[in-house]
Amino acid sequence: MGDLLVLAILILIVALIIRSMIRDKKAGRSPLCGGDCKECGRFCHQVPTREDSKNS
């Protein structure tokens, strides 16, 4: 009986975490990168310009 209670609590916690992650994604928030390249240092959000594509 105790095992089922612990399992139910763990399933509830995981479901709440997943729901929170889905809501954050829909709102445009991300724990990895908030889309502000000067903060995260990643180049994933920079769109190449025409000059960059001509030089390639």
Side-chain angles (χ1 to χ4, degrees):
M1 181 69 177
D3 291 339
L4 291 176
L5 182 61
V6 171
L7 181 62
I9 291 172
L10 287 175
I11 289 172
L12 178 65
I13 290 171
V14 170
L16 291 173
I17 291 171
I18 291 172
R19 185 179 80 167
S20 173
M21 291 171 67
I22 291 171
R23 284 184 176 181
D24 285 347
K25 183 173 176 107
K26 286 183 180 180
R29 297 184 298 255
S30 171
L32 298 177
C33 181
D36 188 5
C37 289
K38 69 179 181 181
E39 293 296 325
C40 71
R42 294 174 59 192
F43 298 101
C44 58
H45 303 288
Q46 294 180 353
V47 178
T49 61
R50 286 186 174 194
E51 289 80 26
D52 291 339
S53 62
K54 286 180 185 177
N55 294 333
S56 297

